Amino acid sequence: MFKKTQVKFKTYKSDAAPFFFYIEIFPFDTSRYISPYVSSLIKTIEKNPVVPIPMRVDRVFNGDSSILIRPREPISFQISEDKLAVINPYHFLLNGIKNVIYFSEIRSSETLYKSISRKNVISWWEKTRFLYGNLNRLEEDFSSFLRAYLHTMVRNYVEGDDLISAAIQYCQIIENICKKRMEQNRILAEIDGKESSVKLYKVKNQTYYKKLKKVSEKQYHPELVDIEIINYSSSNWPKVTTAKNEVEIDVKKYIPLLFYDDLQECMLLNLQYLEENEKILLNPSTLIEKKIISIIESKKFNDDFKNKNLWWKDFSKIKPELFLDKMFQSPL
């Protein structure tokens, strides 16, 4: 009997599939990609530092929705007495979505031997951009991760200070937060206005025999946690996260441990690279040139500026089809 060909990634209806982005300090490793086509794709985004976590390539390929984590306030940090560094949500997400789409094509080409379809990619984004997942702790932590980049890498760049020490500090801040969350083994879940503290994982003692000797070890099992999902496709985005009138509300599951475990691993690896001093850092100037980060006078950080840099919108100006057009023009 012939094995049935896999035509799409396996997903679960109960999985909310939340994701966000962090700012990477090193280019992607292009050496592991052998295929000329895949190699050309990874080289296109090699120095794009807005990296998705987790990689929701399954949802993009299948055309299913995922949940974009949304900080509740503009992301900024005072980098000098009179200057402020601010993350521009539109340009940040524009570069992040580009990476998501390219990685989806890379993964599907390697795993399914298929390309992503224009229809499914657009379907994924049109469903995703209207959804809000009530993930207060993750919103706060990812806001802290972005502020850490502004506080370390951007500040040192603007002041002309050492970027290596800034990169070490940046990675340590994120690694420490992830470590703390996993050690606490607690995260808040908010459903229908009611908060509860739930575990990230369960610990079980597993006993088995190895070379005729009895061995006991701890095993960690990630927990599925409820997430309240609000669909704003039938109404305008409200000004506050608590507005839920006349909108579709659903409850699904997600694995919060994925975020902290994966990101900690990335930061520990980066710290190792920094110690070995064998990789070239991505300069923060690129993010400033691409308008992902703005450097402004502190006095200009007024209500009008803040409103223009909110994450609380549908980002209708982000058009994934533009990335698809360029991607499929890549030489084989």
Side-chain angles (χ1 to χ4, degrees):
M1 183 180 291
F2 292 103
K3 185 178 180 181
K4 188 176 180 180
T5 304
Q6 187 178 351
V7 295
K8 64 179 184 178
F9 290 99
K10 184 177 181 179
T11 58
Y12 299 91
K13 289 184 178 180
S14 61
D15 180 13
F19 74 105
F20 197 57
F21 306 91
Y22 73 97
I23 300 177
E24 181 54 77
I25 59 171
F26 291 117
F28 295 123
D29 182 5
T30 61
S31 62
R32 62 175 289 265
Y33 299 97
I34 301 174
S35 161
Y37 174 59
V38 171
S39 181
S40 70
L41 293 177
I42 197 67
K43 285 179 180 177
T44 302
I45 59 170
E46 178 185 5
K47 295 182 180 180
N48 182 348
V50 186
V51 180
I53 188 165
M55 293 277 185
R56 300 309 328 199
V57 300
D58 52 343
R59 297 307 177 106
V60 178
F61 182 88
N62 294 354
D64 298 328
S65 66
S66 52
I67 304 297
L68 175 65
I69 294 173
R70 297 170 183 269
R72 300 193 180 192
E73 296 179 352
I75 307 298
S76 64
F77 199 90
Q78 195 84 30
I79 58 172
S80 69
E81 187 175 336
D82 59 349
K83 289 183 180 179
L84 201 70
V86 186
I87 300 286
N88 181 298
Y90 168 74
H91 289 288
F92 180 85
L93 292 178
L94 187 70
N95 282 270
I97 297 302
K98 178 180 180 178
N99 273 346
V100 171
I101 292 172
Y102 270 74
F103 274 114
S104 297
E105 174 66 7
I106 290 168
R107 190 72 58 82
S108 62
S109 297
E110 291 181 325
T111 307
L112 305 179
Y113 306 103
K114 292 177 177 291
S115 284
I116 55 178
S117 76
R118 185 186 186 92
K119 177 183 176 182
N120 282 1
V121 173
I122 294 174
S123 173
W124 161 74
W125 178 240
E126 287 303 308
K127 293 173 183 176
T128 296
R129 69 187 182 90
F130 287 109
L131 299 181
Y132 170 70
N134 198 342
L135 296 165
N136 191 18
R137 173 52 59 81
L138 283 173
E139 292 166 0
E140 291 176 352
D141 285 343
F142 273 98
S143 296
S144 296
F145 300 154
L146 294 180
R147 288 192 186 96
Y149 187 86
L150 301 179
H151 167 59
T152 56
M153 296 293 288
V154 175
R155 186 181 66 175
N156 276 31
Y157 167 74
V158 170
E159 295 182 352
D161 292 335
D162 179 41
L163 287 181
I164 297 293
S165 61
I168 292 172
Q169 186 183 6
Y170 168 63
C171 293
Q172 285 177 337
I173 290 172
I174 296 180
E175 196 276 326
N176 287 339
I177 293 175
C178 292
K179 181 180 179 181
K180 179 181 178 181
R181 295 289 180 249
M182 290 190 288
E183 287 178 346
Q184 290 173 335
N185 192 18
R186 286 285 169 181
I187 195 166
L188 284 178
E190 183 180 338
I191 306 295
D192 197 24
K194 297 178 181 179
E195 289 187 349
S196 59
S197 177
V198 296
K199 289 185 176 182
L200 295 176
Y201 55 86
K202 286 182 179 178
V203 182
K204 294 183 179 180
N205 290 318
Q206 185 74 20
T207 302
Y208 59 93
Y209 286 89
K210 184 177 182 181
K211 294 182 179 180
L212 302 179
K213 290 185 178 181
K214 192 175 183 180
V215 178
S216 181
E217 67 176 15
K218 289 183 178 180
Q219 292 188 346
Y220 298 87
H221 301 269
E223 286 278 38
L224 289 167
V225 175
D226 286 342
I227 169 177
E228 184 178 63
I229 301 169
I230 305 170
N231 190 334
Y232 287 114
S233 61
S234 60
S235 62
N236 293 326
W237 279 78
K239 294 182 179 180
V240 293
T241 59
T242 53
K244 301 177 183 179
N245 295 330
E246 299 180 1
V247 292
E248 180 184 338
I249 299 177
D250 195 8
V251 176
K252 291 190 176 184
K253 304 281 187 180
Y254 80 111
I255 303 176
L257 183 63
L258 274 179
F259 291 91
Y260 299 112
D261 191 38
D262 288 358
L263 199 49
Q264 183 191 44
E265 185 177 344
C266 291
M267 293 303 109
L268 289 173
L269 187 60
N270 280 349
L271 288 168
Q272 180 182 327
Y273 290 147
L274 287 165
E275 184 179 349
E276 295 169 352
N277 197 26
E278 293 182 357
K279 285 197 170 191
I280 299 175
L281 282 174
L282 291 171
N283 198 298
S285 61
T286 303
L287 286 89
I288 297 172
E289 291 167 5
K290 290 185 176 182
K291 300 180 180 179
I292 297 171
I293 294 174
S294 301
I295 308 297
I296 65 168
E297 295 179 10
S298 301
K299 62 183 180 181
K300 292 184 178 180
F301 193 61
N302 51 32
D303 289 342
D304 182 57
F305 187 90
K306 291 176 183 178
N307 288 333
K308 290 178 181 178
N309 288 275
L310 289 174
W311 303 79
W312 199 241
K313 59 183 72 173
D314 63 19
F315 294 102
S316 59
K317 292 183 179 180
I318 294 179
K319 304 294 184 183
E321 54 266 36
L322 299 179
F323 300 131
L324 294 170
D325 292 340
K326 291 181 180 179
M327 183 174 68
F328 290 129
Q329 290 174 3
S330 298
L332 295 178

